[in-house]
Amino acid sequence: EDLIPNEPMVVTITHNGYVKRVPIKSYERQKRGGKGKVAVTTHDDDFIERFFVSNTHDTLMFVTNMGQLYWLKVYKIPEGSRTAKGKAVVNLINLRADEKIMAIIPTPDFDESKSLVFFTRNGVIKRTSLNEFSNIRSNGVRAIVLDDADEIVTAKIADVQTQYIMIFTSLGQCIRFELEKTRDQGRSTRGVRGIKFKIDTDIVVDADVIDNEEQEILTVSEKGIGKRTTIEEYRLTNRAGSGVIAMKLSPKTGNIVGEVLV
């Protein structure tokens, strides 16, 4: 590893599971209004699902719907041209046939001051010290014990700047509570209740870690409706409550499908 230059790379992952890395210098700076350049060539039924900039020495953590966590060094991802399709991620990590990647998290280290926060479909949240995942294994490790019919929705890294947790549900609810309301737990544990659903058929669709109340969050519905709101507008409550209304839903909006910090 010491012989490999630690350079910034653009990592792209497609919906069908193809991954590649491209040196960031391959993307020339352009003026506003330029048409840009092709970033990846995909099949007709494929599209870029995730992309981020990470250094070659960083570690990528892949969290699956079944609660498994896998590791991959960025430099082990084949370097490709801007137009290359990439390599199937199943050829790089030992995923099971029924596993789906729900989160990909780059990290330069496994500092014990950071924690990995897992969110499940049924409203469970679990926080584990990042240092517990420093012992890299080729077959991955179980990161959380899941109840029957539950699965991971997403996972995020919380650091010393993180103050709040926000969880969003399909039927328009959102809860915001302090990170410290969830204590660190070991890998082989279930976690605790993060949000209580008002309707039994509701599910968690997304979640995030928040540094301060001045940040803004964009909530998006399945019919393409977006709503941008400052964090402070979401009332701070205790963990395991029902939270507040994130978006008023109707047949024109459809259910909430996700959120992103902006």
Side-chain angles (χ1 to χ4, degrees), residues 153-186:
V153 170
T154 190
K156 307 283 183 178
I157 282 186
D159 56 26
V160 293
Q161 294 181 316
T162 304
Q163 295 189 53
Y164 309 109
I165 295 290
M166 292 186 74
I167 302 174
F168 291 81
T169 77
S170 174
L171 298 182
Q173 294 299 120
C174 171
I175 189 170
R176 176 168 73 98
F177 55 87
E178 293 174 334
L179 174 68
E180 295 306 317
K181 298 291 185 181
T182 59
R183 61 181 177 84
D184 272 357
Q185 296 179 279

Short mmCIF file of all heavy atoms in Angstrom, two decimals, residues 153-186:
data_model
loop_
_atom_site.label_atom_id
_atom_site.label_comp_id
_atom_site.label_asym_id
_atom_site.label_seq_id
_atom_site.Cartn_x
_atom_site.Cartn_y
_atom_site.Cartn_z
N VAL A 153 -31.87 0.03 5.94
CA VAL A 153 -32.26 1.02 4.94
C VAL A 153 -31.05 1.85 4.52
O VAL A 153 -30.81 2.10 3.34
CB VAL A 153 -33.37 1.94 5.49
CG1 VAL A 153 -33.60 3.13 4.57
CG2 VAL A 153 -34.66 1.16 5.67
N THR A 154 -30.26 2.27 5.50
CA THR A 154 -29.06 3.05 5.22
C THR A 154 -28.16 3.04 6.45
O THR A 154 -28.54 2.55 7.52
CB THR A 154 -29.40 4.50 4.81
OG1 THR A 154 -28.22 5.15 4.33
CG2 THR A 154 -29.97 5.29 5.97
N ALA A 155 -26.96 3.58 6.29
CA ALA A 155 -26.02 3.71 7.40
C ALA A 155 -25.19 4.97 7.17
O ALA A 155 -24.93 5.34 6.02
CB ALA A 155 -25.12 2.49 7.52
N LYS A 156 -24.80 5.63 8.25
CA LYS A 156 -24.05 6.88 8.16
C LYS A 156 -22.95 6.90 9.21
O LYS A 156 -23.05 6.24 10.24
CB LYS A 156 -24.98 8.09 8.42
CG LYS A 156 -26.23 8.14 7.55
CD LYS A 156 -25.94 8.60 6.14
CE LYS A 156 -27.23 8.70 5.32
NZ LYS A 156 -26.99 9.19 3.95
N ILE A 157 -21.91 7.70 8.95
CA ILE A 157 -20.86 7.92 9.95
C ILE A 157 -21.18 9.18 10.74
O ILE A 157 -21.48 10.23 10.16
CB ILE A 157 -19.47 8.05 9.28
CG1 ILE A 157 -18.93 6.67 8.91
CG2 ILE A 157 -18.49 8.73 10.23
CD1 ILE A 157 -17.50 6.70 8.38
N ALA A 158 -21.12 9.05 12.06
CA ALA A 158 -21.27 10.21 12.95
C ALA A 158 -19.90 10.49 13.57
O ALA A 158 -19.19 9.57 13.96
CB ALA A 158 -22.30 9.92 14.03
N ASP A 159 -19.55 11.78 13.64
CA ASP A 159 -18.27 12.15 14.24
C ASP A 159 -18.50 13.14 15.38
O ASP A 159 -19.64 13.33 15.83
CB ASP A 159 -17.31 12.71 13.19
CG ASP A 159 -17.88 13.90 12.43
OD1 ASP A 159 -18.76 14.60 13.00
OD2 ASP A 159 -17.46 14.15 11.29
N VAL A 160 -17.43 13.78 15.83
CA VAL A 160 -17.55 14.67 16.99
C VAL A 160 -18.41 15.89 16.70
O VAL A 160 -18.89 16.55 17.63
CB VAL A 160 -16.14 15.11 17.47
CG1 VAL A 160 -15.37 13.94 18.03
CG2 VAL A 160 -15.35 15.77 16.34
N GLN A 161 -18.61 16.20 15.43
CA GLN A 161 -19.44 17.36 15.07
C GLN A 161 -20.93 17.02 14.99
O GLN A 161 -21.77 17.91 14.99
CB GLN A 161 -18.98 17.94 13.73
CG GLN A 161 -17.58 18.55 13.77
CD GLN A 161 -17.18 19.13 12.43
OE1 GLN A 161 -17.39 18.51 11.39
NE2 GLN A 161 -16.60 20.31 12.45
N THR A 162 -21.25 15.74 14.91
CA THR A 162 -22.64 15.33 14.75
C THR A 162 -23.44 15.60 16.03
O THR A 162 -23.02 15.21 17.12
CB THR A 162 -22.73 13.83 14.40
OG1 THR A 162 -21.95 13.58 13.23
CG2 THR A 162 -24.17 13.42 14.16
N GLN A 163 -24.58 16.26 15.86
CA GLN A 163 -25.43 16.58 17.01
C GLN A 163 -26.75 15.82 17.00
O GLN A 163 -27.26 15.44 18.06
CB GLN A 163 -25.74 18.08 17.05
CG GLN A 163 -24.53 18.97 17.28
CD GLN A 163 -24.95 20.42 17.52
OE1 GLN A 163 -25.77 20.70 18.39
NE2 GLN A 163 -24.40 21.33 16.74
N TYR A 164 -27.31 15.61 15.80
CA TYR A 164 -28.67 15.09 15.73
C TYR A 164 -28.79 13.90 14.76
O TYR A 164 -27.98 13.73 13.86
CB TYR A 164 -29.65 16.18 15.26
CG TYR A 164 -29.55 17.47 16.03
CD1 TYR A 164 -29.02 18.62 15.45
CD2 TYR A 164 -29.99 17.54 17.35
CE1 TYR A 164 -28.92 19.80 16.15
CE2 TYR A 164 -29.90 18.72 18.07
CZ TYR A 164 -29.36 19.85 17.47
OH TYR A 164 -29.26 21.02 18.18
N ILE A 165 -29.85 13.14 14.98
CA ILE A 165 -30.27 12.07 14.08
C ILE A 165 -31.63 12.46 13.51
O ILE A 165 -32.49 12.97 14.24
CB ILE A 165 -30.41 10.73 14.85
CG1 ILE A 165 -29.05 10.27 15.38
CG2 ILE A 165 -31.05 9.67 13.96
CD1 ILE A 165 -28.09 9.81 14.33
N MET A 166 -31.84 12.22 12.21
CA MET A 166 -33.15 12.43 11.61
C MET A 166 -33.56 11.17 10.85
O MET A 166 -32.75 10.59 10.11
CB MET A 166 -33.15 13.64 10.67
CG MET A 166 -32.96 14.96 11.39
SD MET A 166 -33.13 16.42 10.31
CE MET A 166 -34.90 16.45 10.05
N ILE A 167 -34.80 10.75 11.06
CA ILE A 167 -35.33 9.55 10.41
C ILE A 167 -36.62 9.93 9.69
O ILE A 167 -37.50 10.59 10.27
CB ILE A 167 -35.61 8.44 11.44
CG1 ILE A 167 -34.32 8.09 12.20
CG2 ILE A 167 -36.18 7.20 10.76
CD1 ILE A 167 -34.54 7.09 13.34
N PHE A 168 -36.75 9.51 8.43
CA PHE A 168 -37.91 9.82 7.60
C PHE A 168 -38.66 8.54 7.24
O PHE A 168 -38.05 7.52 6.94
CB PHE A 168 -37.49 10.54 6.32
CG PHE A 168 -36.96 11.92 6.54
CD1 PHE A 168 -35.66 12.13 6.95
CD2 PHE A 168 -37.78 13.03 6.34
CE1 PHE A 168 -35.17 13.41 7.16
CE2 PHE A 168 -37.30 14.31 6.55
CZ PHE A 168 -35.99 14.50 6.96
N THR A 169 -40.00 8.64 7.24
CA THR A 169 -40.81 7.48 6.89
C THR A 169 -41.55 7.69 5.58
O THR A 169 -41.73 8.82 5.12
CB THR A 169 -41.84 7.15 7.99
OG1 THR A 169 -42.95 8.07 7.89
CG2 THR A 169 -41.23 7.24 9.38
N SER A 170 -42.00 6.60 5.01
CA SER A 170 -42.70 6.63 3.73
C SER A 170 -43.98 7.47 3.78
O SER A 170 -44.33 8.15 2.82
CB SER A 170 -43.03 5.20 3.30
OG SER A 170 -43.82 5.18 2.14
N LEU A 171 -44.67 7.43 4.92
CA LEU A 171 -45.96 8.11 5.04
C LEU A 171 -45.84 9.52 5.61
O LEU A 171 -46.81 10.09 6.11
CB LEU A 171 -46.92 7.27 5.90
CG LEU A 171 -47.25 5.89 5.31
CD1 LEU A 171 -48.25 5.15 6.19
CD2 LEU A 171 -47.79 6.01 3.89
N GLY A 172 -44.64 10.10 5.52
CA GLY A 172 -44.51 11.53 5.77
C GLY A 172 -44.10 11.96 7.16
O GLY A 172 -44.10 13.15 7.46
N GLN A 173 -43.72 11.02 8.03
CA GLN A 173 -43.28 11.39 9.37
C GLN A 173 -41.76 11.59 9.39
O GLN A 173 -41.02 11.02 8.58
CB GLN A 173 -43.66 10.32 10.38
CG GLN A 173 -45.16 10.16 10.59
CD GLN A 173 -45.82 11.42 11.11
OE1 GLN A 173 -46.71 11.96 10.44
NE2 GLN A 173 -45.40 11.88 12.26
N CYS A 174 -41.30 12.41 10.35
CA CYS A 174 -39.87 12.61 10.56
C CYS A 174 -39.63 12.85 12.04
O CYS A 174 -40.40 13.56 12.70
CB CYS A 174 -39.36 13.81 9.75
SG CYS A 174 -37.66 14.27 10.17
N ILE A 175 -38.56 12.27 12.54
CA ILE A 175 -38.19 12.51 13.93
C ILE A 175 -36.76 13.03 13.97
O ILE A 175 -35.90 12.59 13.19
CB ILE A 175 -38.32 11.23 14.79
CG1 ILE A 175 -38.14 11.57 16.27
CG2 ILE A 175 -37.34 10.15 14.36
CD1 ILE A 175 -38.49 10.42 17.20
N ARG A 176 -36.52 14.02 14.83
CA ARG A 176 -35.17 14.54 15.07
C ARG A 176 -34.88 14.46 16.55
O ARG A 176 -35.64 14.97 17.37
CB ARG A 176 -35.04 16.00 14.59
CG ARG A 176 -33.67 16.61 14.91
CD ARG A 176 -33.46 17.93 14.18
NE ARG A 176 -34.23 19.03 14.72
CZ ARG A 176 -33.75 19.94 15.58
NH1 ARG A 176 -32.50 19.85 16.03
NH2 ARG A 176 -34.51 20.93 16.00
N PHE A 177 -33.79 13.80 16.89
CA PHE A 177 -33.39 13.72 18.29
C PHE A 177 -31.87 13.78 18.39
O PHE A 177 -31.16 13.63 17.39
CB PHE A 177 -33.93 12.44 18.97
CG PHE A 177 -33.57 11.16 18.27
CD1 PHE A 177 -32.38 10.51 18.56
CD2 PHE A 177 -34.43 10.59 17.34
CE1 PHE A 177 -32.04 9.32 17.93
CE2 PHE A 177 -34.10 9.40 16.70
CZ PHE A 177 -32.90 8.77 17.00
N GLU A 178 -31.38 14.00 19.59
CA GLU A 178 -29.94 14.15 19.80
C GLU A 178 -29.23 12.81 19.64
O GLU A 178 -29.73 11.77 20.06
CB GLU A 178 -29.67 14.72 21.19
CG GLU A 178 -30.17 16.15 21.35
CD GLU A 178 -30.04 16.65 22.78
OE1 GLU A 178 -30.04 15.79 23.70
OE2 GLU A 178 -29.93 17.87 22.98
N LEU A 179 -28.05 12.87 19.02
CA LEU A 179 -27.25 11.66 18.82
C LEU A 179 -26.98 10.95 20.13
O LEU A 179 -26.98 9.72 20.20
CB LEU A 179 -25.93 12.03 18.14
CG LEU A 179 -24.91 10.90 17.97
CD1 LEU A 179 -25.41 9.87 16.96
CD2 LEU A 179 -23.55 11.46 17.53
N GLU A 180 -26.78 11.73 21.19
CA GLU A 180 -26.42 11.14 22.49
C GLU A 180 -27.56 10.34 23.10
O GLU A 180 -27.37 9.66 24.12
CB GLU A 180 -25.97 12.25 23.45
CG GLU A 180 -24.69 12.95 23.02
CD GLU A 180 -23.54 11.98 22.76
OE1 GLU A 180 -23.36 11.05 23.57
OE2 GLU A 180 -22.83 12.15 21.76
N LYS A 181 -28.75 10.41 22.50
CA LYS A 181 -29.86 9.59 22.99
C LYS A 181 -29.67 8.12 22.62
O LYS A 181 -30.42 7.26 23.07
CB LYS A 181 -31.19 10.09 22.40
CG LYS A 181 -31.56 11.52 22.79
CD LYS A 181 -31.91 11.64 24.26
CE LYS A 181 -32.38 13.05 24.58
NZ LYS A 181 -32.72 13.21 26.02
N THR A 182 -28.68 7.85 21.76
CA THR A 182 -28.35 6.46 21.41
C THR A 182 -26.93 6.18 21.87
O THR A 182 -25.99 6.86 21.45
CB THR A 182 -28.45 6.24 19.89
OG1 THR A 182 -27.54 7.12 19.21
CG2 THR A 182 -29.85 6.51 19.39
N ARG A 183 -26.77 5.20 22.72
CA ARG A 183 -25.43 4.86 23.21
C ARG A 183 -24.75 3.89 22.25
O ARG A 183 -25.41 3.19 21.48
CB ARG A 183 -25.52 4.24 24.60
CG ARG A 183 -26.33 2.96 24.65
CD ARG A 183 -26.40 2.41 26.07
NE ARG A 183 -27.24 1.21 26.14
CZ ARG A 183 -26.81 -0.01 25.87
NH1 ARG A 183 -25.56 -0.20 25.49
NH2 ARG A 183 -27.63 -1.05 25.96
N ASP A 184 -23.43 3.85 22.32
CA ASP A 184 -22.67 2.89 21.52
C ASP A 184 -22.99 1.46 21.96
O ASP A 184 -23.07 1.17 23.15
CB ASP A 184 -21.16 3.14 21.67
CG ASP A 184 -20.65 4.15 20.66
OD1 ASP A 184 -21.44 4.61 19.83
OD2 ASP A 184 -19.45 4.48 20.71
N GLN A 185 -23.17 0.58 20.97
CA GLN A 185 -23.41 -0.83 21.24
C GLN A 185 -22.43 -1.67 20.42
O GLN A 185 -21.90 -1.22 19.41
CB GLN A 185 -24.84 -1.22 20.86
CG GLN A 185 -25.92 -0.53 21.68
CD GLN A 185 -27.31 -0.94 21.24
OE1 GLN A 185 -27.84 -0.43 20.28
NE2 GLN A 185 -27.89 -1.89 21.95
N GLY A 186 -22.21 -2.90 20.85
CA GLY A 186 -21.31 -3.80 20.13
C GLY A 186 -21.91 -4.26 18.82
O GLY A 186 -23.09 -4.02 18.53
#
